[in-house]
Amino acid sequence: MALEKKHSSPTMTFGTHRDIGKIVQSQAAPPASGKQKRVNVNFDEDKHARFKAACAKRGTSITDVLSSLVDDWLKDNE
């Protein structure tokens, strides 16, 4: 006999988040906590090697370049 759990809140589905308010609040300001999150991005080997070399030539890191690109994208899309 299977028990059926009744939820007090709607069921979470793909693409939703229960704390969406926390995610979208104060979008203009960077998070005050200073906590960071890791984002994994897959590139083919050749692109990764070229990207890494180009960053090294300019004395910057892949993280700094991607962070800057995301900041620019957010300015245009939020």
Side-chain angles (χ1 to χ4, degrees):
M1 173 162 94
L3 296 177
E4 197 173 308
K5 183 175 181 180
K6 301 210 181 219
H7 297 282
S8 60
S9 61
T11 303
M12 182 182 282
T13 59
F14 181 76
T16 63
H17 192 283
R18 291 176 194 249
D19 295 326
I20 194 73
K22 289 180 182 179
I23 293 170
V24 296
Q25 78 182 18
S26 69
Q27 293 178 0
S33 69
K35 292 182 182 179
Q36 295 187 354
K37 297 295 286 185
R38 176 171 297 277
V39 176
N40 293 321
V41 180
N42 295 317
F43 292 124
D44 64 53
E45 289 183 35
D46 181 60
K47 185 183 293 185
H48 178 266
R50 290 172 39 225
F51 188 24
K52 187 173 181 177
C55 289
K57 282 182 187 177
R58 286 158 185 77
T60 190
S61 68
I62 290 175
T63 297
D64 289 342
V65 171
L66 291 177
S67 182
S68 177
L69 291 170
V70 169
D71 288 342
D72 291 344
W73 187 89
L74 287 172
K75 286 177 193 172
D76 295 337
N77 293 282
E78 281 187 319

